Amino acid sequence: GPNPGLRPETYTAGEVGATADLGRLWLDGAVFQSRYDGLIQPGPVPGKFFVYQFQNVAKAHITGLDVETRLDVVPSVLGLDVTYMYLHTRDLTLDQPLPYRSAHTATGTMSLLGGLLNVDLQYRSRVQRVLQFPADPRGATTLVGIRAAYKVGDVLVQAKVSNLLQEQYVDLQERFPGPPRSFELTLSTGMDN
């Protein structure tokens, strides 16, 4: 339930980044660091078994790297878009990683025929720390999806398959399975003004 003693978190942050546009290759990267006093996150309620509420962590810090690149391998035929984030998190009070955060997260999209067909890849490394069931097995998650779009007259037809390979994984909430393979078909019309 709500925590009446919750106070606003305060932080100081710094980031240094650069972007390069080299025509068919675009790069963007940044390193960052944030120091928190009273970071708000879930925590156990003292004296209550498996009861959690949002609480202030006394002190925490997050350091990371965020990189994105786009490459037109063959313009209007094949393109790649890749992002990667590295996080080093620390609850300075407990001297442990912050819960429910992965150190490595990457996404990639391969676009074919100017976006007519897209293959998506999502990767998340093993969550380093959880609160309720630390003995449960946890691992990295890799999800593959496919998206297609085609315009027929004034109608845009879009199809999407998520979790194509039927990866069985635990979502960020403990013991809750991530969504299974799913299919979506969308028809939409645009209005010209």
Side-chain angles (χ1 to χ4, degrees):
N3 182 352
L6 199 61
R7 67 187 196 291
E9 62 187 18
T10 58
Y11 69 95
T12 56
E15 179 177 329
V16 175
T19 300
D21 189 344
L22 306 172
R24 290 179 24 195
L25 176 65
W26 180 85
L27 299 164
D28 183 66
V31 292
F32 56 89
Q33 182 170 28
S34 301
R35 293 193 173 274
Y36 292 86
D37 185 12
L39 175 71
I40 297 172
Q41 69 174 22
V45 175
K48 294 188 178 181
F49 191 62
F50 286 120
V51 176
Y52 293 82
Q53 69 183 141
F54 286 102
Q55 301 175 1
N56 294 101
V57 172
K59 295 201 182 290
H61 77 113
I62 298 174
T63 304
L65 167 71
D66 190 5
V67 178
E68 181 176 1
T69 183
R70 289 187 205 129
L71 174 63
D72 285 330
V73 179
V74 179
S76 298
V77 176
L78 175 62
L80 298 174
D81 189 339
V82 177
T83 62
Y84 169 75
M85 180 179 288
Y86 168 76
L87 288 179
H88 179 266
T89 67
R90 209 81 194 147
D91 178 333
L92 298 175
T93 306
L94 300 175
D95 194 28
Q96 294 182 1
L98 292 170
Y100 306 110
R101 289 169 175 87
S102 297
H104 306 277
T105 304
T107 61
T109 298
M110 180 175 61
S111 297
L112 299 167
L113 304 173
L116 180 67
L117 179 66
N118 298 285
V119 178
D120 299 315
L121 180 71
Q122 297 174 339
Y123 170 81
R124 187 180 75 225
S125 66
R126 179 182 183 271
V127 171
Q128 298 174 30
R129 182 174 155 232
V130 296
L131 296 176
Q132 285 188 309
F133 305 104
D136 279 5
R138 329 185 273 286
T141 302
T142 303
L143 300 174
V144 177
I146 295 178
R147 294 176 288 128
Y150 190 73
K151 192 161 187 175
V152 180
D154 289 338
V155 178
L156 179 63
V157 179
Q158 296 174 302
K160 179 179 178 181
V161 180
S162 299
N163 196 359
L164 177 70
L165 303 178
Q166 194 68 355
E167 173 85 8
Q168 294 183 8
Y169 64 101
V170 174
D171 211 345
L172 288 179
Q173 294 181 346
E174 298 175 61
R175 293 194 174 172
F176 283 87
R181 181 184 307 126
S182 65
F183 303 90
E184 269 181 57
L185 181 63
T186 306
L187 304 174
S188 57
T189 60
M191 299 177 128
D192 295 331
N193 291 334

